[in-house]
Amino acid sequence: MDAALAQAKLPAGHRVTIVTRRFAEADLHPSHDVAHEVVAERVTIDRVASHSPRYLEKEALTAELPSFVDAFLTYLGDLPGLPDVIHAHFADAVTVAVAARRRFGIPFVYTPHALAIDKRAQGLDDGDLDARIADERQAIVAANAMIVSSRDEADRQVQAYGVKVDGRIHCIAPGVPQRADIAGEGGRTLVDDVEQAFDRPVLPIILAIARPVAKKNLAGLVRAYASDPALRDMANLVVLAGQDDGRSSVEERSVRDELQRLCADPALRGRVALPRRHDAADVTALYRRAARGGVFVNPALHEPFGLTLIEAAEAGVPVVATRHGGPAEIVATVGHGVLVDPRDPAAIAAACRRVIGDAAAHARYRAAALANHDRYDWTRYAEQAVAVYAGLHRRPMLLACDIDHTLTGCRVGAEAFAHWRRSGAMHVVVATGRSFADARAVLAQWRLPEPDAFITDVGTRIMLAGEDGGWQACDAYAAGLDADWDLAAVRAALAPLALTPQPVATDGPHKLSFFGTAAAAAAIRTALTTAGLSAHVIFSHGRLIDVLAPGGGKAAAIAAYAGRLGLTLADCVAAGDSGNDADMLERCGGAIVVGNAGEELASLTPRPGLYRAERHHAAGVMEGLGRLGLAGMARGSA
């Protein structure tokens, strides 16, 4: 939430929507069953309903994931505009993001948390890590980019998966809420109840806050405290181990039971507090209480990052932290404590005694915490994360390809293209100067699969697949070409030029075609301008001239068809070889100019996404698709 709020406050005015699962339970806050919630300006929460309306524990969510994926895709399809990027946290969210990218071309960023290979390295394999590791590896493979919190995650944890990440991984430290954001001032907090339970409430406190799971090693901290009489005489111990609300997982219940057994030791009576419930105000109050001579301890066997150490720093609390993972980087940056081996109870206890028992050291750590905690700042995180987002682009979802001398001309290349087309990698249309009948005949002759739609007659006609297996003209597109088009007047204006017409069959209600030179095409433009008539004049192949309705052309037709799919020209790739392909090559988000292209395309504006292939014909198309990262992607793949 803090990241979303910070991103929305940036000068660019980004909109951030947090999407989560919708559910309802009588003993949970009713907001979980609210479909749309406004959190702040440009920040909203949208809750998507899956098959089950109930709250589900993590173990049960795996079975619910396919239903949520379907619901999320429907949700995206109903939006007035698609998001620019999806930021997926945890590998299960990547499953959702991959489906969205496959359907809509939306790129995604993956942020992992508590990677399973490290959990296994700490001897915490619960028997289900093989599947989780496989999911995490696939998430790393699939992500357009990754954002991690520490160099340890970037340089060691992610690298352990053996996946080449190149420049896709970015280390951006998160921020910490300001005190005013955590809770307000005043009122009774958990501190009052805790201190009443202590024999000597005036003593400093050792504070630990973590989820009750084995890797957090809270039991190890209690054992360290129990085994050191000198430490018990110096300070009381407070452990916040999540919320004991009856919804705990098996592991969480097991850890809490162990903590209760340890704290029942008579030697710890009046010295240890293990509250069952707490809220944000309680956490704030306890951090402030710990700052008065106490210490915060993170004894995790391994900690991917360690946000609580930054929260402690913001409150001015010195820390004793595990040396494994992100805490080493945090403590080095802030300078507010010491690192220990979390499997050595004596070392944990000794470190706590050193911090609490040395007033000068405590003051030094406290000063460093207050001076340096703002090195971790949500605004900085937001700026750097948005810069990562900006470097990503929606993957093209539609290929518009010319036929003659682009798909045809090389049997081997045509076969490769046909194989790629059958894999269903993208929506495909052909955009040709030929008539519909001629276009189908040429494709059949070259054993090329039929496209999802035909754009024919130099972009003045769109043919759509009918439900009965046949083809039908798109009347809406044809009607739109009538605007500012006077066929009879155009014909009359060009009559004095004595042009050589192409066969009558090539003409249409929105197109006249002639043979001629570039000079003849220029003369046509001049004649039409003089007559005050609008038209789109195209010269191609060194001898063909097409005069189209002003709203026609391959790019216009592609845009119209793409719009039916919820796409724009930015989501399309065009491939061609001649002048009548120029407008689609200029205007589509990606463009492939095959190696045998004519001189008419030499003047195309160089730009990102425009690729000039070395290979000819369909082989050049495949070369370009490969360069754009599209040749190996099939529907259903990540």
Side-chain angles (χ1 to χ4, degrees), residues 222-365:
V222 176
R223 291 191 183 92
Y225 180 77
S227 65
D228 194 310
L231 182 59
R232 298 200 307 270
D233 286 340
M234 294 174 63
N236 296 315
L237 174 64
V238 180
V239 178
L240 294 188
Q243 307 288 1
D244 190 1
D245 56 5
R247 297 185 178 279
S248 303
S249 67
V250 173
E251 181 183 16
E252 289 172 338
R253 288 193 296 271
S254 175
V255 169
R256 282 202 189 92
D257 289 346
E258 182 181 17
L259 291 173
Q260 293 285 0
R261 288 195 300 271
L262 291 171
C263 292
D265 184 338
L268 300 185
R269 186 175 296 115
R271 303 293 178 87
V272 178
L274 187 63
R276 294 184 59 187
R277 303 291 295 272
H278 61 273
D279 60 22
D282 298 326
V283 173
T284 298
L286 285 167
Y287 274 130
R288 290 172 177 168
R289 177 65 177 82
R292 304 204 311 262
V295 65
F296 179 86
V297 181
N298 180 331
L301 299 178
H302 181 272
E303 185 68 74
F305 182 61
L307 184 60
T308 52
L309 297 175
I310 306 174
E311 291 179 344
E314 193 274 340
V317 186
V319 301
V320 169
T322 177
R323 68 188 185 191
H324 299 310
E329 186 174 326
I330 293 172
V331 172
T333 299
V334 179
H336 63 323
V338 295
L339 302 173
V340 294
D341 180 352
R343 296 185 183 276
D344 186 343
I348 295 174
C352 290
R353 279 191 283 105
R354 285 201 308 274
V355 174
I356 295 172
D358 186 337
H362 192 281
R364 186 169 64 253
Y365 291 138

Side-chain angles (χ1 to χ4, degrees), residues 163-185:
V163 177
K164 190 175 182 179
V165 293
D166 297 323
R168 292 186 296 130
I169 193 164
H170 307 267
C171 182
I172 308 177
V176 60
Q178 297 300 305
R179 293 185 200 176
D181 295 329
I182 301 175
E185 298 286 345

Side-chain angles (χ1 to χ4, degrees), residues 3 6-8 10 172 377-387 389:
Q7 288 170 351
L10 294 178
I172 308 177
D377 174 69
W378 281 119
T379 298
R380 184 181 298 114
Y381 175 94
E383 291 171 345
Q384 294 179 11
V386 167
Y389 303 158

Side-chain angles (χ1 to χ4, degrees), residues 394-416:
R394 281 170 59 176
R395 178 173 65 82
M397 300 296 292
L398 185 151
L399 172 67
C401 203
D402 178 48
I403 297 178
D404 293 289
H405 309 296
T406 299
L407 288 181
T408 66
C410 170
R411 288 288 180 187
V412 174
E415 289 175 3

Side-chain angles (χ1 to χ4, degrees), residues 6-375:
Q7 288 170 351
K9 291 177 182 177
L10 294 178
H14 303 279
R15 297 188 62 85
V16 183
T17 299
I18 299 169
V19 182
T20 187
R21 182 174 166 270
R22 183 177 178 179
F23 56 85
E25 292 288 352
D27 56 345
L28 292 178
H29 196 280
S31 63
H32 296 296
D33 195 28
V34 175
H36 180 76
E37 178 183 350
V38 178
V39 178
E41 185 178 3
R42 295 194 294 272
V43 179
T44 56
I45 298 175
D46 283 355
R47 297 179 178 89
V48 176
S50 58
H51 177 72
S52 172
R54 305 293 301 277
Y55 170 83
L56 298 174
E57 291 290 345
K58 181 178 180 181
E59 294 79 6
L61 282 173
T62 299
E64 190 72 6
L65 192 56
S67 170
F68 183 81
V69 168
D70 290 341
F72 182 69
L73 296 179
T74 299
Y75 158 81
L76 287 176
D78 290 340
L79 291 176
L82 291 171
D84 296 316
V85 66
I86 293 172
H87 194 148
H89 292 261
F90 295 97
D92 52 356
V94 169
T95 300
V96 183
V98 165
R101 184 177 65 186
R102 185 182 304 137
R103 175 76 61 85
F104 300 106
I106 306 168
F108 74 88
V109 174
Y110 169 41
T111 290
H113 300 272
L115 287 164
I117 284 183
D118 256 44
K119 186 174 181 179
R120 172 169 286 170
Q122 300 306 322
L124 299 172
D125 193 337
D126 55 8
D128 192 37
L129 288 189
D130 284 341
R132 180 172 162 185
I133 289 170
D135 289 344
E136 289 172 346
R137 179 175 287 111
Q138 183 59 28
I140 296 169
V141 169
N144 296 96
M146 294 180 65
I147 292 178
V148 297
S149 300
S150 68
R151 291 310 326 170
D152 184 73
E153 286 180 287
D155 298 340
R156 188 185 62 80
Q157 296 181 47
V158 172
Q159 299 297 333
Y161 285 78
V163 177
K164 190 175 182 179
V165 293
D166 297 323
R168 292 186 296 130
I169 193 164
H170 307 267
C171 182
I172 308 177
V176 60
Q178 297 300 305
R179 293 185 200 176
D181 295 329
I182 301 175
E185 298 286 345
R188 183 180 179 86
T189 70
L190 188 63
V191 171
D192 303 297
D193 298 326
V194 165
E195 292 193 336
Q196 283 188 357
F198 289 144
D199 290 341
R200 291 187 292 169
V202 297
L203 291 179
I205 67 169
I206 300 167
L207 176 63
I209 304 172
R211 291 185 302 115
V213 292
K215 70 177 182 179
K216 295 297 184 180
N217 195 34
L218 293 175
L221 172 60
V222 176
R223 291 191 183 92
Y225 180 77
S227 65
D228 194 310
L231 182 59
R232 298 200 307 270
D233 286 340
M234 294 174 63
N236 296 315
L237 174 64
V238 180
V239 178
L240 294 188
Q243 307 288 1
D244 190 1
D245 56 5
R247 297 185 178 279
S248 303
S249 67
V250 173
E251 181 183 16
E252 289 172 338
R253 288 193 296 271
S254 175
V255 169
R256 282 202 189 92
D257 289 346
E258 182 181 17
L259 291 173
Q260 293 285 0
R261 288 195 300 271
L262 291 171
C263 292
D265 184 338
L268 300 185
R269 186 175 296 115
R271 303 293 178 87
V272 178
L274 187 63
R276 294 184 59 187
R277 303 291 295 272
H278 61 273
D279 60 22
D282 298 326
V283 173
T284 298
L286 285 167
Y287 274 130
R288 290 172 177 168
R289 177 65 177 82
R292 304 204 311 262
V295 65
F296 179 86
V297 181
N298 180 331
L301 299 178
H302 181 272
E303 185 68 74
F305 182 61
L307 184 60
T308 52
L309 297 175
I310 306 174
E311 291 179 344
E314 193 274 340
V317 186
V319 301
V320 169
T322 177
R323 68 188 185 191
H324 299 310
E329 186 174 326
I330 293 172
V331 172
T333 299
V334 179
H336 63 323
V338 295
L339 302 173
V340 294
D341 180 352
R343 296 185 183 276
D344 186 343
I348 295 174
C352 290
R353 279 191 283 105
R354 285 201 308 274
V355 174
I356 295 172
D358 186 337
H362 192 281
R364 186 169 64 253
Y365 291 138
R366 174 174 168 78
L370 295 173
N372 298 324
H373 71 83
D374 59 1
R375 299 277 294 275

